[in-house]
Amino acid sequence: MADAKAKGVARLSLETGVSDYFKPAVALYRRHGFVECPPFADYAPDPHSLFMTCDLAESA
């Protein structure tokens, strides 16, 4: 995230799973400022996916 911010990237977005297997990853993303968001780019709504984004200008 620091590297992206240093390069002028304003926002990072990701897609991950929603099953219990992904809970540790989702917790990590939340700790680093990611919040849930609608699907982005070419993604479509999917009950097996969680979409998250982080505004690097607002992150610590």
Side-chain angles (χ1 to χ4, degrees):
M1 290 175 68
D3 188 48
K5 193 172 189 176
K7 291 179 178 176
V9 175
R11 175 174 302 281
L12 293 175
S13 299
L14 60 88
E15 178 275 337
T16 191
V18 295
S19 70
D20 288 347
Y21 178 82
F22 294 99
K23 284 184 179 181
V26 171
L28 174 74
Y29 302 142
R30 289 187 197 286
R31 280 195 306 272
H32 288 280
F34 282 82
V35 295
E36 291 183 37
C37 68
F40 50 87
D42 292 334
Y43 285 104
D46 180 343
H48 303 288
S49 293
L50 176 67
F51 302 95
M52 302 183 84
T53 192
C54 180
D55 183 339
L56 294 178
E58 294 179 7
S59 68

CSV table of all heavy atoms in Angstrom, one decimal:
chain,number,residue,atom,x,y,z
A,1,MET,N,0.8,-1.2,0.0
A,1,MET,CA,0.0,0.0,0.0
A,1,MET,C,0.9,1.3,0.0
A,1,MET,O,0.6,2.2,-0.7
A,1,MET,CB,-0.9,0.0,1.2
A,1,MET,CG,-2.0,-1.1,1.1
A,1,MET,SD,-3.1,-1.2,2.6
A,1,MET,CE,-3.9,0.4,2.5
A,2,ALA,N,1.9,1.2,0.8
A,2,ALA,CA,2.8,2.4,0.8
A,2,ALA,C,3.5,2.6,-0.6
A,2,ALA,O,3.6,3.8,-1.0
A,2,ALA,CB,3.9,2.2,1.9
A,3,ASP,N,3.9,1.6,-1.2
A,3,ASP,CA,4.5,1.7,-2.6
A,3,ASP,C,3.5,2.3,-3.5
A,3,ASP,O,3.8,3.2,-4.3
A,3,ASP,CB,5.0,0.3,-3.0
A,3,ASP,CG,5.8,0.4,-4.3
A,3,ASP,OD1,6.7,1.3,-4.4
A,3,ASP,OD2,5.5,-0.4,-5.2
A,4,ALA,N,2.2,1.8,-3.5
A,4,ALA,CA,1.2,2.3,-4.4
A,4,ALA,C,0.9,3.8,-4.1
A,4,ALA,O,0.8,4.6,-5.0
A,4,ALA,CB,-0.1,1.5,-4.2
A,5,LYS,N,0.8,4.1,-2.8
A,5,LYS,CA,0.6,5.5,-2.5
A,5,LYS,C,1.8,6.4,-2.9
A,5,LYS,O,1.5,7.5,-3.5
A,5,LYS,CB,0.4,5.6,-1.0
A,5,LYS,CG,-0.1,6.9,-0.5
A,5,LYS,CD,-0.4,6.8,1.0
A,5,LYS,CE,-1.2,8.0,1.5
A,5,LYS,NZ,-1.6,7.9,2.9
A,6,ALA,N,3.0,5.9,-2.8
A,6,ALA,CA,4.2,6.7,-3.2
A,6,ALA,C,4.2,6.9,-4.7
A,6,ALA,O,4.7,7.9,-5.2
A,6,ALA,CB,5.4,6.0,-2.7
A,7,LYS,N,3.6,6.0,-5.4
A,7,LYS,CA,3.5,6.1,-6.9
A,7,LYS,C,2.3,6.9,-7.4
A,7,LYS,O,2.1,7.0,-8.6
A,7,LYS,CB,3.5,4.7,-7.5
A,7,LYS,CG,4.9,4.0,-7.3
A,7,LYS,CD,4.9,2.6,-7.9
A,7,LYS,CE,6.3,2.0,-7.7
A,7,LYS,NZ,6.3,0.6,-8.2
A,8,GLY,N,1.5,7.4,-6.4
A,8,GLY,CA,0.4,8.3,-6.8
A,8,GLY,C,-0.9,7.5,-7.0
A,8,GLY,O,-1.9,8.1,-7.5
A,9,VAL,N,-1.0,6.3,-6.7
A,9,VAL,CA,-2.2,5.5,-6.8
A,9,VAL,C,-3.2,6.0,-5.7
A,9,VAL,O,-2.8,6.1,-4.5
A,9,VAL,CB,-2.0,4.0,-6.6
A,9,VAL,CG1,-3.3,3.2,-6.6
A,9,VAL,CG2,-1.0,3.5,-7.7
A,10,ALA,N,-4.4,6.4,-6.1
A,10,ALA,CA,-5.3,7.0,-5.2
A,10,ALA,C,-6.2,5.9,-4.5
A,10,ALA,O,-6.7,6.2,-3.4
A,10,ALA,CB,-6.2,8.0,-5.9
A,11,ARG,N,-6.4,4.8,-5.1
A,11,ARG,CA,-7.4,3.8,-4.6
A,11,ARG,C,-6.9,2.4,-4.9
A,11,ARG,O,-6.5,2.2,-6.1
A,11,ARG,CB,-8.8,4.1,-5.1
A,11,ARG,CG,-9.8,3.0,-4.8
A,11,ARG,CD,-11.2,3.4,-5.2
A,11,ARG,NE,-11.6,4.7,-4.7
A,11,ARG,CZ,-12.1,4.9,-3.5
A,11,ARG,NH1,-12.2,3.9,-2.6
A,11,ARG,NH2,-12.4,6.2,-3.1
A,12,LEU,N,-7.0,1.5,-4.0
A,12,LEU,CA,-6.8,0.1,-4.2
A,12,LEU,C,-8.1,-0.6,-4.1
A,12,LEU,O,-8.9,-0.3,-3.1
A,12,LEU,CB,-5.8,-0.5,-3.3
A,12,LEU,CG,-4.4,0.0,-3.4
A,12,LEU,CD1,-3.5,-0.6,-2.3
A,12,LEU,CD2,-3.8,-0.4,-4.7
A,13,SER,N,-8.5,-1.6,-4.9
A,13,SER,CA,-9.7,-2.3,-4.8
A,13,SER,C,-9.3,-3.8,-5.0
A,13,SER,O,-8.4,-4.2,-5.7
A,13,SER,CB,-10.7,-1.9,-5.9
A,13,SER,OG,-11.0,-0.6,-5.7
A,14,LEU,N,-10.1,-4.7,-4.3
A,14,LEU,CA,-9.8,-6.1,-4.4
A,14,LEU,C,-11.1,-6.9,-4.4
A,14,LEU,O,-12.2,-6.4,-3.9
A,14,LEU,CB,-8.9,-6.5,-3.3
A,14,LEU,CG,-9.3,-6.3,-1.9
A,14,LEU,CD1,-10.1,-7.5,-1.3
A,14,LEU,CD2,-8.1,-6.1,-1.0
A,15,GLU,N,-11.0,-8.1,-4.8
A,15,GLU,CA,-12.1,-9.1,-4.7
A,15,GLU,C,-11.6,-10.3,-3.9
A,15,GLU,O,-10.5,-10.7,-4.2
A,15,GLU,CB,-12.6,-9.5,-6.1
A,15,GLU,CG,-13.7,-10.5,-6.2
A,15,GLU,CD,-13.2,-12.0,-6.1
A,15,GLU,OE1,-12.0,-12.2,-6.4
A,15,GLU,OE2,-13.9,-12.8,-5.7
A,16,THR,N,-12.4,-10.8,-3.0
A,16,THR,CA,-12.0,-12.0,-2.2
A,16,THR,C,-13.2,-12.8,-2.0
A,16,THR,O,-14.3,-12.4,-2.4
A,16,THR,CB,-11.3,-11.6,-0.9
A,16,THR,OG1,-10.7,-12.7,-0.3
A,16,THR,CG2,-12.2,-10.9,0.1
A,17,GLY,N,-13.0,-13.9,-1.4
A,17,GLY,CA,-14.2,-14.8,-1.2
A,17,GLY,C,-14.9,-14.5,0.1
A,17,GLY,O,-14.4,-13.7,0.9
A,18,VAL,N,-16.0,-15.1,0.3
A,18,VAL,CA,-16.9,-14.9,1.5
A,18,VAL,C,-16.9,-16.1,2.5
A,18,VAL,O,-17.5,-15.9,3.6
A,18,VAL,CB,-18.3,-14.4,1.1
A,18,VAL,CG1,-18.3,-13.1,0.4
A,18,VAL,CG2,-19.0,-15.5,0.3
A,19,SER,N,-16.4,-17.2,2.1
A,19,SER,CA,-16.5,-18.4,3.0
A,19,SER,C,-15.6,-18.2,4.2
A,19,SER,O,-14.7,-17.3,4.2
A,19,SER,CB,-16.0,-19.6,2.2
A,19,SER,OG,-14.7,-19.6,1.9
A,20,ASP,N,-15.7,-19.0,5.2
A,20,ASP,CA,-14.9,-19.0,6.4
A,20,ASP,C,-13.4,-19.0,6.1
A,20,ASP,O,-12.6,-18.4,6.8
A,20,ASP,CB,-15.2,-20.1,7.3
A,20,ASP,CG,-16.6,-20.0,8.0
A,20,ASP,OD1,-17.2,-18.8,7.9
A,20,ASP,OD2,-17.1,-20.9,8.5
A,21,TYR,N,-13.0,-19.7,5.0
A,21,TYR,CA,-11.6,-19.7,4.6
A,21,TYR,C,-11.0,-18.4,4.4
A,21,TYR,O,-9.8,-18.2,4.7
A,21,TYR,CB,-11.5,-20.6,3.3
A,21,TYR,CG,-10.1,-20.7,2.8
A,21,TYR,CD1,-9.2,-21.7,3.3
A,21,TYR,CD2,-9.6,-19.9,1.8
A,21,TYR,CE1,-7.9,-21.8,2.9
A,21,TYR,CE2,-8.3,-20.0,1.3
A,21,TYR,CZ,-7.5,-21.0,1.9
A,21,TYR,OH,-6.2,-21.1,1.4
A,22,PHE,N,-11.8,-17.4,4.0
A,22,PHE,CA,-11.3,-16.1,3.7
A,22,PHE,C,-11.4,-15.1,4.8
A,22,PHE,O,-10.9,-13.9,4.7
A,22,PHE,CB,-12.0,-15.5,2.4
A,22,PHE,CG,-11.7,-16.3,1.2
A,22,PHE,CD1,-12.6,-17.2,0.7
A,22,PHE,CD2,-10.6,-16.0,0.5
A,22,PHE,CE1,-12.4,-17.9,-0.4
A,22,PHE,CE2,-10.3,-16.8,-0.7
A,22,PHE,CZ,-11.2,-17.7,-1.1
A,23,LYS,N,-12.0,-15.5,6.0
A,23,LYS,CA,-12.2,-14.6,7.1
A,23,LYS,C,-10.9,-13.9,7.6
A,23,LYS,O,-10.9,-12.7,7.8
A,23,LYS,CB,-12.9,-15.2,8.2
A,23,LYS,CG,-14.4,-15.4,7.9
A,23,LYS,CD,-15.2,-15.9,9.1
A,23,LYS,CE,-16.6,-16.0,8.8
A,23,LYS,NZ,-17.4,-16.6,9.9
A,24,PRO,N,-9.8,-14.7,7.7
A,24,PRO,CA,-8.5,-14.0,8.1
A,24,PRO,C,-8.1,-12.9,7.1
A,24,PRO,O,-7.6,-11.9,7.5
A,24,PRO,CB,-7.5,-15.2,8.2
A,24,PRO,CG,-8.4,-16.4,8.4
A,24,PRO,CD,-9.6,-16.1,7.6
A,25,ALA,N,-8.2,-13.2,5.8
A,25,ALA,CA,-7.8,-12.2,4.8
A,25,ALA,C,-8.7,-11.0,4.9
A,25,ALA,O,-8.2,-9.8,4.9
A,25,ALA,CB,-7.9,-12.8,3.4
A,26,VAL,N,-10.0,-11.2,5.1
A,26,VAL,CA,-10.9,-10.0,5.1
A,26,VAL,C,-10.6,-9.2,6.4
A,26,VAL,O,-10.6,-8.0,6.3
A,26,VAL,CB,-12.4,-10.5,5.1
A,26,VAL,CG1,-13.3,-9.3,5.4
A,26,VAL,CG2,-12.7,-11.1,3.8
A,27,ALA,N,-10.3,-9.8,7.5
A,27,ALA,CA,-9.9,-9.1,8.7
A,27,ALA,C,-8.7,-8.3,8.5
A,27,ALA,O,-8.6,-7.1,8.9
A,27,ALA,CB,-9.8,-10.1,9.9
A,28,LEU,N,-7.7,-8.8,7.8
A,28,LEU,CA,-6.5,-8.1,7.5
A,28,LEU,C,-6.8,-6.9,6.6
A,28,LEU,O,-6.3,-5.8,6.9
A,28,LEU,CB,-5.5,-9.1,6.8
A,28,LEU,CG,-4.2,-8.4,6.3
A,28,LEU,CD1,-3.3,-8.1,7.4
A,28,LEU,CD2,-3.5,-9.3,5.2
A,29,TYR,N,-7.6,-7.1,5.6
A,29,TYR,CA,-7.9,-6.0,4.7
A,29,TYR,C,-8.6,-4.9,5.5
A,29,TYR,O,-8.3,-3.7,5.4
A,29,TYR,CB,-8.8,-6.4,3.6
A,29,TYR,CG,-8.2,-7.5,2.7
A,29,TYR,CD1,-9.0,-8.5,2.2
A,29,TYR,CD2,-6.8,-7.5,2.4
A,29,TYR,CE1,-8.4,-9.5,1.4
A,29,TYR,CE2,-6.3,-8.5,1.6
A,29,TYR,CZ,-7.1,-9.5,1.1
A,29,TYR,OH,-6.5,-10.5,0.3
A,30,ARG,N,-9.6,-5.2,6.4
A,30,ARG,CA,-10.3,-4.2,7.2
A,30,ARG,C,-9.3,-3.5,8.1
A,30,ARG,O,-9.4,-2.3,8.2
A,30,ARG,CB,-11.4,-4.9,8.0
A,30,ARG,CG,-12.5,-5.4,7.2
A,30,ARG,CD,-13.7,-5.9,8.1
A,30,ARG,NE,-14.6,-6.7,7.4
A,30,ARG,CZ,-15.6,-6.2,6.6
A,30,ARG,NH1,-15.6,-5.0,6.3
A,30,ARG,NH2,-16.4,-7.1,6.0
A,31,ARG,N,-8.4,-4.2,8.7
A,31,ARG,CA,-7.4,-3.5,9.6
A,31,ARG,C,-6.6,-2.5,8.8
A,31,ARG,O,-6.1,-1.5,9.4
A,31,ARG,CB,-6.5,-4.5,10.2
A,31,ARG,CG,-7.0,-5.3,11.4
A,31,ARG,CD,-6.0,-6.0,12.2
A,31,ARG,NE,-5.2,-6.9,11.5
A,31,ARG,CZ,-5.4,-8.2,11.2
A,31,ARG,NH1,-6.6,-8.7,11.6
A,31,ARG,NH2,-4.6,-8.9,10.5
A,32,HIS,N,-6.4,-2.7,7.5
A,32,HIS,CA,-5.6,-1.8,6.7
A,32,HIS,C,-6.5,-0.7,6.0
A,32,HIS,O,-6.0,-0.1,5.0
A,32,HIS,CB,-4.7,-2.5,5.8
A,32,HIS,CG,-3.6,-3.2,6.5
A,32,HIS,ND1,-2.5,-2.5,6.9
A,32,HIS,CD2,-3.5,-4.5,6.9
A,32,HIS,CE1,-1.7,-3.4,7.5
A,32,HIS,NE2,-2.3,-4.5,7.6
A,33,GLY,N,-7.7,-0.6,6.4
A,33,GLY,CA,-8.6,0.5,5.9
A,33,GLY,C,-9.5,0.1,4.7
A,33,GLY,O,-10.2,1.0,4.2
A,34,PHE,N,-9.5,-1.1,4.3
A,34,PHE,CA,-10.4,-1.5,3.2
A,34,PHE,C,-11.9,-1.6,3.8
A,34,PHE,O,-12.1,-2.0,4.9
A,34,PHE,CB,-10.0,-2.9,2.6
A,34,PHE,CG,-8.9,-2.8,1.7
A,34,PHE,CD1,-7.6,-2.8,2.2
A,34,PHE,CD2,-9.1,-2.7,0.3
A,34,PHE,CE1,-6.5,-2.7,1.3
A,34,PHE,CE2,-8.0,-2.6,-0.5
A,34,PHE,CZ,-6.7,-2.6,0.0
A,35,VAL,N,-12.8,-1.2,2.9
A,35,VAL,CA,-14.2,-1.3,3.2
A,35,VAL,C,-15.0,-1.9,2.1
A,35,VAL,O,-14.5,-1.9,1.0
A,35,VAL,CB,-14.9,0.1,3.5
A,35,VAL,CG1,-14.2,0.8,4.8
A,35,VAL,CG2,-14.7,1.0,2.3
A,36,GLU,N,-16.1,-2.5,2.4
A,36,GLU,CA,-16.9,-3.1,1.3
A,36,GLU,C,-17.3,-2.1,0.3
A,36,GLU,O,-17.6,-0.9,0.6
A,36,GLU,CB,-18.1,-3.9,1.9
A,36,GLU,CG,-17.7,-5.1,2.7
A,36,GLU,CD,-18.9,-5.8,3.2
A,36,GLU,OE1,-19.9,-6.0,2.5
A,36,GLU,OE2,-18.8,-6.3,4.3
A,37,CYS,N,-17.4,-2.5,-1.0
A,37,CYS,CA,-17.9,-1.7,-2.1
A,37,CYS,C,-18.6,-2.5,-3.1
A,37,CYS,O,-18.6,-3.7,-3.1
A,37,CYS,CB,-16.7,-1.0,-2.7
A,37,CYS,SG,-15.5,-2.1,-3.6
A,38,PRO,N,-19.3,-1.8,-4.0
A,38,PRO,CA,-19.9,-2.6,-5.1
A,38,PRO,C,-18.9,-3.2,-6.0
A,38,PRO,O,-17.7,-2.8,-6.0
A,38,PRO,CB,-20.7,-1.5,-5.9
A,38,PRO,CG,-20.7,-0.3,-5.0
A,38,PRO,CD,-19.5,-0.4,-4.1
A,39,PRO,N,-19.3,-4.2,-6.9
A,39,PRO,CA,-18.4,-4.7,-7.8
A,39,PRO,C,-17.8,-3.6,-8.7
A,39,PRO,O,-18.4,-2.6,-9.0
A,39,PRO,CB,-19.2,-5.7,-8.7
A,39,PRO,CG,-20.4,-6.0,-7.8
A,39,PRO,CD,-20.6,-4.8,-7.0
A,40,PHE,N,-16.6,-3.8,-9.2
A,40,PHE,CA,-15.9,-2.8,-10.0
A,40,PHE,C,-15.3,-3.5,-11.2
A,40,PHE,O,-15.3,-4.7,-11.3
A,40,PHE,CB,-14.8,-2.1,-9.1
A,40,PHE,CG,-13.9,-3.1,-8.5
A,40,PHE,CD1,-12.7,-3.6,-9.1
A,40,PHE,CD2,-14.1,-3.6,-7.2
A,40,PHE,CE1,-11.9,-4.6,-8.5
A,40,PHE,CE2,-13.3,-4.5,-6.6
A,40,PHE,CZ,-12.2,-5.0,-7.2
A,41,ALA,N,-14.8,-2.6,-12.1
A,41,ALA,CA,-14.2,-3.1,-13.4
A,41,ALA,C,-15.2,-4.0,-14.1
A,41,ALA,O,-16.4,-3.7,-14.2
A,41,ALA,CB,-12.9,-3.8,-13.2
A,42,ASP,N,-14.8,-5.2,-14.5
A,42,ASP,CA,-15.6,-6.2,-15.2
A,42,ASP,C,-16.3,-7.2,-14.3
A,42,ASP,O,-17.0,-8.1,-14.8
A,42,ASP,CB,-14.8,-6.9,-16.2
A,42,ASP,CG,-14.3,-6.0,-17.4
A,42,ASP,OD1,-15.0,-5.0,-17.6
A,42,ASP,OD2,-13.3,-6.4,-18.0
A,43,TYR,N,-16.2,-7.0,-13.0
A,43,TYR,CA,-16.9,-7.9,-12.1
A,43,TYR,C,-18.4,-7.7,-12.1
A,43,TYR,O,-18.9,-6.6,-12.2
A,43,TYR,CB,-16.4,-7.7,-10.6
A,43,TYR,CG,-15.0,-8.3,-10.4
A,43,TYR,CD1,-13.9,-7.4,-10.3
A,43,TYR,CD2,-14.8,-9.6,-10.2
A,43,TYR,CE1,-12.7,-7.9,-10.0
A,43,TYR,CE2,-13.6,-10.1,-9.9
A,43,TYR,CZ,-12.5,-9.3,-9.8
A,43,TYR,OH,-11.2,-9.8,-9.6
A,44,ALA,N,-19.1,-8.8,-11.8
A,44,ALA,CA,-20.6,-8.7,-11.7
A,44,ALA,C,-20.9,-9.1,-10.2
A,44,ALA,O,-20.1,-9.8,-9.6
A,44,ALA,CB,-21.3,-9.6,-12.6
A,45,PRO,N,-22.0,-8.7,-9.7
A,45,PRO,CA,-22.4,-9.2,-8.4
A,45,PRO,C,-22.3,-10.7,-8.3
A,45,PRO,O,-22.7,-11.4,-9.3
A,45,PRO,CB,-23.8,-8.7,-8.2
A,45,PRO,CG,-23.9,-7.6,-9.1
A,45,PRO,CD,-23.1,-7.9,-10.3
A,46,ASP,N,-21.8,-11.2,-7.2
A,46,ASP,CA,-21.5,-12.7,-7.1
A,46,ASP,C,-21.7,-13.0,-5.6
A,46,ASP,O,-21.0,-12.4,-4.8
A,46,ASP,CB,-20.1,-13.0,-7.6
A,46,ASP,CG,-19.8,-14.5,-7.5
A,46,ASP,OD1,-20.5,-15.2,-6.7
A,46,ASP,OD2,-18.8,-14.9,-8.1
A,47,PRO,N,-22.5,-13.9,-5.2
A,47,PRO,CA,-22.7,-14.3,-3.8
A,47,PRO,C,-21.5,-14.9,-3.2
A,47,PRO,O,-21.4,-15.0,-1.9
A,47,PRO,CB,-23.9,-15.2,-3.8
A,47,PRO,CG,-23.9,-15.8,-5.2
A,47,PRO,CD,-23.4,-14.7,-6.1
A,48,HIS,N,-20.5,-15.3,-4.0
A,48,HIS,CA,-19.3,-15.9,-3.4
A,48,HIS,C,-18.2,-14.9,-3.4
A,48,HIS,O,-17.0,-15.3,-3.0
A,48,HIS,CB,-18.9,-17.1,-4.3
A,48,HIS,CG,-20.0,-18.1,-4.4
A,48,HIS,ND1,-20.4,-19.0,-3.4
A,48,HIS,CD2,-20.8,-18.4,-5.4
A,48,HIS,CE1,-21.3,-19.7,-3.7
A,48,HIS,NE2,-21.7,-19.4,-5.0
A,49,SER,N,-18.4,-13.7,-3.7
A,49,SER,CA,-17.3,-12.7,-3.7
A,49,SER,C,-17.7,-11.5,-2.8
A,49,SER,O,-18.8,-11.1,-2.7
A,49,SER,CB,-17.1,-12.1,-5.2
A,49,SER,OG,-16.6,-13.1,-6.0
A,50,LEU,N,-16.6,-10.9,-2.3
A,50,LEU,CA,-16.7,-9.7,-1.5
A,50,LEU,C,-15.8,-8.7,-2.2
A,50,LEU,O,-14.6,-9.0,-2.4
A,50,LEU,CB,-16.2,-10.0,0.0
A,50,LEU,CG,-16.2,-8.8,0.9
A,50,LEU,CD1,-17.6,-8.2,1.1
A,50,LEU,CD2,-15.5,-9.1,2.2
A,51,PHE,N,-16.3,-7.6,-2.4
A,51,PHE,CA,-15.5,-6.5,-3.1
A,51,PHE,C,-15.1,-5.5,-2.0
A,51,PHE,O,-16.0,-5.1,-1.2
A,51,PHE,CB,-16.3,-5.9,-4.2
A,51,PHE,CG,-16.7,-6.9,-5.2
A,51,PHE,CD1,-18.0,-7.5,-5.1
A,51,PHE,CD2,-15.9,-7.3,-6.2
A,51,PHE,CE1,-18.3,-8.5,-6.0
A,51,PHE,CE2,-16.2,-8.3,-7.1
A,51,PHE,CZ,-17.5,-8.9,-7.1
A,52,MET,N,-13.9,-5.0,-2.0
A,52,MET,CA,-13.4,-4.1,-1.0
A,52,MET,C,-12.6,-3.0,-1.7
A,52,MET,O,-11.9,-3.3,-2.7
A,52,MET,CB,-12.6,-4.8,0.1
A,52,MET,CG,-13.4,-5.9,0.8
A,52,MET,SD,-12.5,-6.6,2.1
A,52,MET,CE,-12.8,-5.5,3.4
A,53,THR,N,-12.5,-1.8,-1.1
A,53,THR,CA,-11.7,-0.8,-1.6
A,53,THR,C,-11.1,0.0,-0.5
A,53,THR,O,-11.6,0.0,0.6
A,53,THR,CB,-12.6,0.2,-2.5
A,53,THR,OG1,-11.7,1.0,-3.3
A,53,THR,CG2,-13.6,0.9,-1.8
A,54,CYS,N,-10.0,0.7,-0.8
A,54,CYS,CA,-9.3,1.5,0.2
A,54,CYS,C,-8.9,2.8,-0.5
A,54,CYS,O,-8.1,2.8,-1.5
A,54,CYS,CB,-8.1,0.8,0.8
A,54,CYS,SG,-7.2,1.8,2.0
A,55,ASP,N,-9.3,4.0,0.0
A,55,ASP,CA,-8.9,5.3,-0.5
A,55,ASP,C,-7.5,5.6,0.2
A,55,ASP,O,-7.5,5.8,1.4
A,55,ASP,CB,-9.9,6.3,-0.1
A,55,ASP,CG,-9.6,7.7,-0.6
A,55,ASP,OD1,-8.4,8.0,-0.9
A,55,ASP,OD2,-10.5,8.5,-0.7
A,56,LEU,N,-6.5,5.5,-0.6
A,56,LEU,CA,-5.2,5.7,0.0
A,56,LEU,C,-4.9,7.1,0.5
A,56,LEU,O,-4.1,7.3,1.4
A,56,LEU,CB,-4.1,5.4,-1.1
A,56,LEU,CG,-4.1,3.9,-1.5
A,56,LEU,CD1,-3.0,3.7,-2.6
A,56,LEU,CD2,-3.8,3.0,-0.3
A,57,ALA,N,-5.7,8.1,0.1
A,57,ALA,CA,-5.5,9.4,0.6
A,57,ALA,C,-6.1,9.5,2.0
A,57,ALA,O,-5.6,10.3,2.8
A,57,ALA,CB,-6.3,10.4,-0.3
A,58,GLU,N,-7.0,8.6,2.4
A,58,GLU,CA,-7.6,8.6,3.7
A,58,GLU,C,-7.0,7.6,4.6
A,58,GLU,O,-7.2,7.6,5.8
A,58,GLU,CB,-9.1,8.3,3.6
A,58,GLU,CG,-9.9,9.4,2.9
A,58,GLU,CD,-11.4,9.1,2.8
A,58,GLU,OE1,-11.8,8.1,3.4
A,58,GLU,OE2,-12.1,9.9,2.1
A,59,SER,N,-6.2,6.6,4.1
A,59,SER,CA,-5.6,5.6,4.9
A,59,SER,C,-4.4,6.1,5.7
A,59,SER,O,-3.8,7.0,5.3
A,59,SER,CB,-5.3,4.4,4.1
A,59,SER,OG,-4.2,4.7,3.3
A,60,ALA,N,-4.2,5.5,6.8
A,60,ALA,CA,-3.1,5.9,7.7
A,60,ALA,C,-1.8,5.4,7.2
A,60,ALA,O,-1.7,4.5,6.4
A,60,ALA,CB,-3.3,5.3,9.1
